[in-house]
Amino acid sequence: MAEVIIVESKDAAGALVAEEIAALVAAKPTAVLGLATGSTPLPVYRALAERRDSMDLSKITGFALDEYVGLPVEHPESYRSVINREVVEPLGLDPDRIHVPNGSLETIEHAGADYEAAIEAAGGIDLQILGIGTTGHIGFNEPGSSFASRTRVKTLTEQTRRDNARFFDSEDDVPMHCITQGLGTIHRARHLVLLAFGEGKAPAIAGAVEGPVTASLPGSALQLHERATVIVDEAAASQLKNADYYRHSYANKPTWQGL
Ligand code: PGA
């Protein structure tokens, strides 16, 4: 199962993940990071930006999880724009090494296969940052997504469009389709680090960590991964039955293990 770490704040979560990434990059300067968008990973990027001067991030490669289909890349809410604004610029990354699935309609039929080929050419993803949607999605793999799926076009649920309407002028402006790394793609990353904050995520976290492994709750795919870390605040942890055990094992974790 995933290791569950319950932290007191988003900033504490961000600092933990930034420390793990710093250690990874120190050991492997050409590390490949899987990048998530949405509000959840922002504390990680902020913590990384704060320690930027003590790390050499110039040779890392990044792969975003997903992108909207048909939204111009210049749109401020395209995930290419979000990744540039929240990650590439504050961390001073080389933009040519940071990949986002191509949601352009002209090339959409082969964009998934192209993305898979790019991940493979980079040697695979070392550490994948993940959020989880209230539907239980990871990336934009909505309920019902195959555990074997690779990067492809999906239709967003109405719930996800409502959740993401806050980034747009109205819900109608949220694109209907997305292109997302599949659950099979995510599964191939060497280390999965999923973060969730707030009570709204508590049911999805309880289902993903302690519920049955089911395509109906895509986050439950983490239970099949050999190295998955789930970092949650108290509110997101509030429906976990084994929370006391997770606290106990983290308090007694051997220091050599890292995250
Ligand atoms: P959020 O989205 O980080 O904005 O809550 C998470 C997700 O949809 O995966």
Side-chain angles (χ1 to χ4, degrees), residues 37-41 65-66 79 130-134 137-140 160 163-164 166-167 195 197 201:
T37 47
S39 39
T40 304
L65 279 169
D66 42 21
Y79 284 171
L130 295 166
I132 188 165
T134 57
H137 71 207
I138 52 175
F140 270 143
T160 296
D163 287 347
N164 287 8
R166 67 191 195 278
F167 297 115
L195 300 106
F197 308 117
K201 298 290 175 70

PDB file of all heavy atoms in Angstrom, residues 37-41 65-66 79 130-134 137-140 160 163-164 166-167 195 197 201, ligand 1:
ATOM      1  N   THR A  37      -0.700  20.016 -12.255  1.00  0.00           N
ATOM      2  CA  THR A  37      -1.246  21.383 -12.194  1.00  0.00           C
ATOM      3  C   THR A  37      -2.373  21.386 -11.162  1.00  0.00           C
ATOM      4  O   THR A  37      -2.528  20.448 -10.403  1.00  0.00           O
ATOM      5  CB  THR A  37      -1.737  21.819 -13.585  1.00  0.00           C
ATOM      6  OG1 THR A  37      -2.508  20.759 -14.129  1.00  0.00           O
ATOM      7  CG2 THR A  37      -0.577  22.125 -14.511  1.00  0.00           C
ATOM      8  N   GLY A  38      -3.173  22.432 -11.144  1.00  0.00           N
ATOM      9  CA  GLY A  38      -4.202  22.566 -10.105  1.00  0.00           C
ATOM     10  C   GLY A  38      -3.609  23.278  -8.910  1.00  0.00           C
ATOM     11  O   GLY A  38      -2.418  23.633  -8.905  1.00  0.00           O
ATOM     12  N   SER A  39      -4.406  23.484  -7.876  1.00  0.00           N
ATOM     13  CA  SER A  39      -3.912  24.246  -6.733  1.00  0.00           C
ATOM     14  C   SER A  39      -3.065  23.396  -5.786  1.00  0.00           C
ATOM     15  O   SER A  39      -2.197  23.918  -5.087  1.00  0.00           O
ATOM     16  CB  SER A  39      -5.073  24.892  -5.971  1.00  0.00           C
ATOM     17  OG  SER A  39      -6.174  24.016  -5.924  1.00  0.00           O
ATOM     18  N   THR A  40      -3.286  22.089  -5.769  1.00  0.00           N
ATOM     19  CA  THR A  40      -2.622  21.231  -4.784  1.00  0.00           C
ATOM     20  C   THR A  40      -1.087  21.282  -4.814  1.00  0.00           C
ATOM     21  O   THR A  40      -0.465  21.380  -3.761  1.00  0.00           O
ATOM     22  CB  THR A  40      -3.112  19.777  -4.950  1.00  0.00           C
ATOM     23  OG1 THR A  40      -4.535  19.773  -4.830  1.00  0.00           O
ATOM     24  CG2 THR A  40      -2.503  18.864  -3.911  1.00  0.00           C
ATOM     25  N   PRO A  41      -0.443  21.183  -5.986  1.00  0.00           N
ATOM     26  CA  PRO A  41       1.023  21.104  -5.963  1.00  0.00           C
ATOM     27  C   PRO A  41       1.729  22.448  -5.751  1.00  0.00           C
ATOM     28  O   PRO A  41       2.955  22.468  -5.609  1.00  0.00           O
ATOM     29  CB  PRO A  41       1.369  20.536  -7.353  1.00  0.00           C
ATOM     30  CG  PRO A  41       0.230  20.905  -8.210  1.00  0.00           C
ATOM     31  CD  PRO A  41      -0.987  20.978  -7.342  1.00  0.00           C
ATOM     32  N   LEU A  65       1.145  16.247 -16.447  1.00  0.00           N
ATOM     33  CA  LEU A  65       0.203  15.127 -16.519  1.00  0.00           C
ATOM     34  C   LEU A  65      -0.800  15.278 -17.645  1.00  0.00           C
ATOM     35  O   LEU A  65      -1.190  14.287 -18.266  1.00  0.00           O
ATOM     36  CB  LEU A  65      -0.612  15.059 -15.222  1.00  0.00           C
ATOM     37  CG  LEU A  65       0.014  14.390 -14.022  1.00  0.00           C
ATOM     38  CD1 LEU A  65      -0.836  14.671 -12.787  1.00  0.00           C
ATOM     39  CD2 LEU A  65       0.114  12.895 -14.250  1.00  0.00           C
ATOM     40  N   ASP A  66      -1.245  16.509 -17.872  1.00  0.00           N
ATOM     41  CA  ASP A  66      -2.411  16.634 -18.736  1.00  0.00           C
ATOM     42  C   ASP A  66      -2.520  18.029 -19.337  1.00  0.00           C
ATOM     43  O   ASP A  66      -1.756  18.935 -18.980  1.00  0.00           O
ATOM     44  CB  ASP A  66      -3.692  16.262 -17.974  1.00  0.00           C
ATOM     45  CG  ASP A  66      -3.724  16.832 -16.544  1.00  0.00           C
ATOM     46  OD1 ASP A  66      -2.991  17.795 -16.278  1.00  0.00           O
ATOM     47  OD2 ASP A  66      -4.483  16.302 -15.726  1.00  0.00           O
ATOM     48  N   TYR A  79      -2.712  24.343 -19.579  1.00  0.00           N
ATOM     49  CA  TYR A  79      -1.740  23.830 -18.619  1.00  0.00           C
ATOM     50  C   TYR A  79      -0.314  24.157 -19.050  1.00  0.00           C
ATOM     51  O   TYR A  79       0.581  24.224 -18.205  1.00  0.00           O
ATOM     52  CB  TYR A  79      -1.972  22.336 -18.363  1.00  0.00           C
ATOM     53  CG  TYR A  79      -3.173  22.097 -17.454  1.00  0.00           C
ATOM     54  CD1 TYR A  79      -3.666  20.823 -17.241  1.00  0.00           C
ATOM     55  CD2 TYR A  79      -3.800  23.155 -16.802  1.00  0.00           C
ATOM     56  CE1 TYR A  79      -4.759  20.610 -16.397  1.00  0.00           C
ATOM     57  CE2 TYR A  79      -4.887  22.953 -15.965  1.00  0.00           C
ATOM     58  CZ  TYR A  79      -5.367  21.677 -15.756  1.00  0.00           C
ATOM     59  OH  TYR A  79      -6.434  21.475 -14.921  1.00  0.00           O
ATOM     60  N   LEU A 130       1.353  14.209  -7.892  1.00  0.00           N
ATOM     61  CA  LEU A 130      -0.058  14.019  -8.244  1.00  0.00           C
ATOM     62  C   LEU A 130      -0.955  14.786  -7.279  1.00  0.00           C
ATOM     63  O   LEU A 130      -0.656  14.873  -6.081  1.00  0.00           O
ATOM     64  CB  LEU A 130      -0.449  12.543  -8.136  1.00  0.00           C
ATOM     65  CG  LEU A 130       0.214  11.552  -9.089  1.00  0.00           C
ATOM     66  CD1 LEU A 130      -0.031  10.125  -8.603  1.00  0.00           C
ATOM     67  CD2 LEU A 130      -0.314  11.736 -10.506  1.00  0.00           C
ATOM     68  N   GLY A 131      -2.076  15.277  -7.801  1.00  0.00           N
ATOM     69  CA  GLY A 131      -3.190  15.697  -6.965  1.00  0.00           C
ATOM     70  C   GLY A 131      -4.279  14.651  -7.145  1.00  0.00           C
ATOM     71  O   GLY A 131      -4.097  13.663  -7.853  1.00  0.00           O
ATOM     72  N   ILE A 132      -5.406  14.846  -6.516  1.00  0.00           N
ATOM     73  CA  ILE A 132      -6.546  13.947  -6.739  1.00  0.00           C
ATOM     74  C   ILE A 132      -7.800  14.804  -6.831  1.00  0.00           C
ATOM     75  O   ILE A 132      -7.949  15.781  -6.082  1.00  0.00           O
ATOM     76  CB  ILE A 132      -6.644  12.868  -5.634  1.00  0.00           C
ATOM     77  CG1 ILE A 132      -7.716  11.822  -5.983  1.00  0.00           C
ATOM     78  CG2 ILE A 132      -6.900  13.481  -4.256  1.00  0.00           C
ATOM     79  CD1 ILE A 132      -7.633  10.542  -5.132  1.00  0.00           C
ATOM     80  N   GLY A 133      -8.666  14.492  -7.773  1.00  0.00           N
ATOM     81  CA  GLY A 133      -9.901  15.262  -7.918  1.00  0.00           C
ATOM     82  C   GLY A 133     -10.964  14.754  -6.958  1.00  0.00           C
ATOM     83  O   GLY A 133     -10.839  13.661  -6.385  1.00  0.00           O
ATOM     84  N   THR A 134     -12.026  15.527  -6.793  1.00  0.00           N
ATOM     85  CA  THR A 134     -13.110  15.049  -5.924  1.00  0.00           C
ATOM     86  C   THR A 134     -13.769  13.808  -6.537  1.00  0.00           C
ATOM     87  O   THR A 134     -14.391  13.027  -5.823  1.00  0.00           O
ATOM     88  CB  THR A 134     -14.177  16.144  -5.685  1.00  0.00           C
ATOM     89  OG1 THR A 134     -14.669  16.572  -6.949  1.00  0.00           O
ATOM     90  CG2 THR A 134     -13.589  17.322  -4.946  1.00  0.00           C
ATOM     91  N   HIS A 137     -10.206  11.236  -9.583  1.00  0.00           N
ATOM     92  CA  HIS A 137      -9.291  11.171 -10.736  1.00  0.00           C
ATOM     93  C   HIS A 137      -7.864  11.512 -10.332  1.00  0.00           C
ATOM     94  O   HIS A 137      -7.630  12.282  -9.401  1.00  0.00           O
ATOM     95  CB  HIS A 137      -9.770  12.045 -11.906  1.00  0.00           C
ATOM     96  CG  HIS A 137      -9.668  13.520 -11.725  1.00  0.00           C
ATOM     97  ND1 HIS A 137     -10.491  14.417 -12.361  1.00  0.00           N
ATOM     98  CD2 HIS A 137      -8.823  14.291 -10.983  1.00  0.00           C
ATOM     99  CE1 HIS A 137     -10.155  15.642 -12.042  1.00  0.00           C
ATOM    100  NE2 HIS A 137      -9.146  15.598 -11.201  1.00  0.00           N
ATOM    101  N   ILE A 138      -6.906  10.895 -11.025  1.00  0.00           N
ATOM    102  CA  ILE A 138      -5.513  11.358 -10.968  1.00  0.00           C
ATOM    103  C   ILE A 138      -5.119  11.661 -12.405  1.00  0.00           C
ATOM    104  O   ILE A 138      -5.523  10.953 -13.319  1.00  0.00           O
ATOM    105  CB  ILE A 138      -4.545  10.368 -10.272  1.00  0.00           C
ATOM    106  CG1 ILE A 138      -4.620   8.966 -10.842  1.00  0.00           C
ATOM    107  CG2 ILE A 138      -4.809  10.348  -8.776  1.00  0.00           C
ATOM    108  CD1 ILE A 138      -3.574   8.007 -10.249  1.00  0.00           C
ATOM    109  N   GLY A 139      -4.310  12.727 -12.598  1.00  0.00           N
ATOM    110  CA  GLY A 139      -4.268  13.301 -13.932  1.00  0.00           C
ATOM    111  C   GLY A 139      -5.723  13.648 -14.240  1.00  0.00           C
ATOM    112  O   GLY A 139      -6.471  14.061 -13.355  1.00  0.00           O
ATOM    113  N   PHE A 140      -6.129  13.453 -15.484  1.00  0.00           N
ATOM    114  CA  PHE A 140      -7.558  13.621 -15.796  1.00  0.00           C
ATOM    115  C   PHE A 140      -8.165  12.254 -16.083  1.00  0.00           C
ATOM    116  O   PHE A 140      -9.073  12.122 -16.898  1.00  0.00           O
ATOM    117  CB  PHE A 140      -7.740  14.562 -16.983  1.00  0.00           C
ATOM    118  CG  PHE A 140      -7.881  16.019 -16.623  1.00  0.00           C
ATOM    119  CD1 PHE A 140      -7.313  17.000 -17.437  1.00  0.00           C
ATOM    120  CD2 PHE A 140      -8.613  16.432 -15.512  1.00  0.00           C
ATOM    121  CE1 PHE A 140      -7.455  18.349 -17.140  1.00  0.00           C
ATOM    122  CE2 PHE A 140      -8.762  17.791 -15.212  1.00  0.00           C
ATOM    123  CZ  PHE A 140      -8.182  18.746 -16.027  1.00  0.00           C
ATOM    124  N   THR A 160     -15.846  17.522 -12.629  1.00  0.00           N
ATOM    125  CA  THR A 160     -14.518  18.130 -12.803  1.00  0.00           C
ATOM    126  C   THR A 160     -14.642  19.489 -13.484  1.00  0.00           C
ATOM    127  O   THR A 160     -13.956  20.449 -13.108  1.00  0.00           O
ATOM    128  CB  THR A 160     -13.620  17.185 -13.624  1.00  0.00           C
ATOM    129  OG1 THR A 160     -13.428  15.991 -12.865  1.00  0.00           O
ATOM    130  CG2 THR A 160     -12.273  17.811 -13.924  1.00  0.00           C
ATOM    131  N   ASP A 163     -15.642  21.774 -10.817  1.00  0.00           N
ATOM    132  CA  ASP A 163     -14.508  22.028  -9.910  1.00  0.00           C
ATOM    133  C   ASP A 163     -13.518  23.023 -10.526  1.00  0.00           C
ATOM    134  O   ASP A 163     -12.902  23.811  -9.818  1.00  0.00           O
ATOM    135  CB  ASP A 163     -13.762  20.716  -9.603  1.00  0.00           C
ATOM    136  CG  ASP A 163     -14.541  19.793  -8.667  1.00  0.00           C
ATOM    137  OD1 ASP A 163     -15.528  20.246  -8.058  1.00  0.00           O
ATOM    138  OD2 ASP A 163     -14.150  18.616  -8.546  1.00  0.00           O
ATOM    139  N   ASN A 164     -13.333  22.926 -11.832  1.00  0.00           N
ATOM    140  CA  ASN A 164     -12.315  23.765 -12.474  1.00  0.00           C
ATOM    141  C   ASN A 164     -12.864  25.088 -13.007  1.00  0.00           C
ATOM    142  O   ASN A 164     -12.102  25.924 -13.492  1.00  0.00           O
ATOM    143  CB  ASN A 164     -11.633  22.987 -13.606  1.00  0.00           C
ATOM    144  CG  ASN A 164     -10.697  21.928 -13.047  1.00  0.00           C
ATOM    145  OD1 ASN A 164     -10.682  21.692 -11.837  1.00  0.00           O
ATOM    146  ND2 ASN A 164      -9.901  21.309 -13.884  1.00  0.00           N
ATOM    147  N   ARG A 166     -13.652  27.540 -11.449  1.00  0.00           N
ATOM    148  CA  ARG A 166     -13.096  28.685 -10.721  1.00  0.00           C
ATOM    149  C   ARG A 166     -11.909  29.317 -11.449  1.00  0.00           C
ATOM    150  O   ARG A 166     -11.555  30.459 -11.183  1.00  0.00           O
ATOM    151  CB  ARG A 166     -12.695  28.275  -9.301  1.00  0.00           C
ATOM    152  CG  ARG A 166     -11.541  27.296  -9.207  1.00  0.00           C
ATOM    153  CD  ARG A 166     -11.429  26.767  -7.753  1.00  0.00           C
ATOM    154  NE  ARG A 166     -10.178  26.097  -7.459  1.00  0.00           N
ATOM    155  CZ  ARG A 166      -9.916  24.822  -7.770  1.00  0.00           C
ATOM    156  NH1 ARG A 166     -10.808  24.103  -8.434  1.00  0.00           N
ATOM    157  NH2 ARG A 166      -8.750  24.292  -7.445  1.00  0.00           N
ATOM    158  N   PHE A 167     -11.287  28.566 -12.348  1.00  0.00           N
ATOM    159  CA  PHE A 167     -10.154  29.117 -13.097  1.00  0.00           C
ATOM    160  C   PHE A 167     -10.600  29.850 -14.376  1.00  0.00           C
ATOM    161  O   PHE A 167      -9.793  30.452 -15.066  1.00  0.00           O
ATOM    162  CB  PHE A 167      -9.188  27.998 -13.511  1.00  0.00           C
ATOM    163  CG  PHE A 167      -8.553  27.296 -12.322  1.00  0.00           C
ATOM    164  CD1 PHE A 167      -8.809  25.953 -12.069  1.00  0.00           C
ATOM    165  CD2 PHE A 167      -7.703  27.980 -11.466  1.00  0.00           C
ATOM    166  CE1 PHE A 167      -8.231  25.303 -10.991  1.00  0.00           C
ATOM    167  CE2 PHE A 167      -7.115  27.334 -10.378  1.00  0.00           C
ATOM    168  CZ  PHE A 167      -7.382  26.000 -10.141  1.00  0.00           C
ATOM    169  N   LEU A 195      -0.585  14.411  -3.269  1.00  0.00           N
ATOM    170  CA  LEU A 195      -0.919  15.340  -2.195  1.00  0.00           C
ATOM    171  C   LEU A 195      -2.404  15.660  -2.227  1.00  0.00           C
ATOM    172  O   LEU A 195      -3.006  15.683  -3.305  1.00  0.00           O
ATOM    173  CB  LEU A 195      -0.137  16.653  -2.351  1.00  0.00           C
ATOM    174  CG  LEU A 195       1.378  16.512  -2.325  1.00  0.00           C
ATOM    175  CD1 LEU A 195       1.943  16.696  -3.725  1.00  0.00           C
ATOM    176  CD2 LEU A 195       1.984  17.528  -1.402  1.00  0.00           C
ATOM    177  N   PHE A 197      -5.335  18.230   0.125  1.00  0.00           N
ATOM    178  CA  PHE A 197      -5.603  19.115   1.258  1.00  0.00           C
ATOM    179  C   PHE A 197      -7.095  19.448   1.320  1.00  0.00           C
ATOM    180  O   PHE A 197      -7.736  19.630   0.285  1.00  0.00           O
ATOM    181  CB  PHE A 197      -4.821  20.429   1.101  1.00  0.00           C
ATOM    182  CG  PHE A 197      -3.347  20.226   0.835  1.00  0.00           C
ATOM    183  CD1 PHE A 197      -2.777  20.660  -0.355  1.00  0.00           C
ATOM    184  CD2 PHE A 197      -2.548  19.583   1.775  1.00  0.00           C
ATOM    185  CE1 PHE A 197      -1.417  20.471  -0.602  1.00  0.00           C
ATOM    186  CE2 PHE A 197      -1.193  19.397   1.534  1.00  0.00           C
ATOM    187  CZ  PHE A 197      -0.629  19.836   0.339  1.00  0.00           C
ATOM    188  N   LYS A 201     -11.486  16.705  -0.120  1.00  0.00           N
ATOM    189  CA  LYS A 201     -10.734  15.589  -0.709  1.00  0.00           C
ATOM    190  C   LYS A 201     -10.789  14.337   0.171  1.00  0.00           C
ATOM    191  O   LYS A 201     -10.291  13.282  -0.226  1.00  0.00           O
ATOM    192  CB  LYS A 201      -9.266  15.995  -0.919  1.00  0.00           C
ATOM    193  CG  LYS A 201      -9.071  17.166  -1.887  1.00  0.00           C
ATOM    194  CD  LYS A 201      -9.397  16.762  -3.312  1.00  0.00           C
ATOM    195  CE  LYS A 201      -9.337  17.932  -4.295  1.00  0.00           C
ATOM    196  NZ  LYS A 201      -8.030  18.444  -4.569  1.00  0.00           N
TER     197      LYS A 201
HETATM  198  P1  PGA B   1      -6.790  20.719  -7.370  1.00  0.00           P
HETATM  199  O1  PGA B   1      -7.104  19.605  -8.468  1.00  0.00           O
HETATM  200  O2  PGA B   1      -5.357  20.531  -7.035  1.00  0.00           O
HETATM  201  O3  PGA B   1      -7.030  22.036  -8.050  1.00  0.00           O
HETATM  202  O4  PGA B   1      -7.696  20.451  -6.234  1.00  0.00           O
HETATM  203  C1  PGA B   1      -6.662  18.303  -8.247  1.00  0.00           C
HETATM  204  C2  PGA B   1      -7.018  17.456  -9.425  1.00  0.00           C
HETATM  205  O5  PGA B   1      -8.051  17.731 -10.077  1.00  0.00           O
HETATM  206  O6  PGA B   1      -6.288  16.490  -9.719  1.00  0.00           O
END
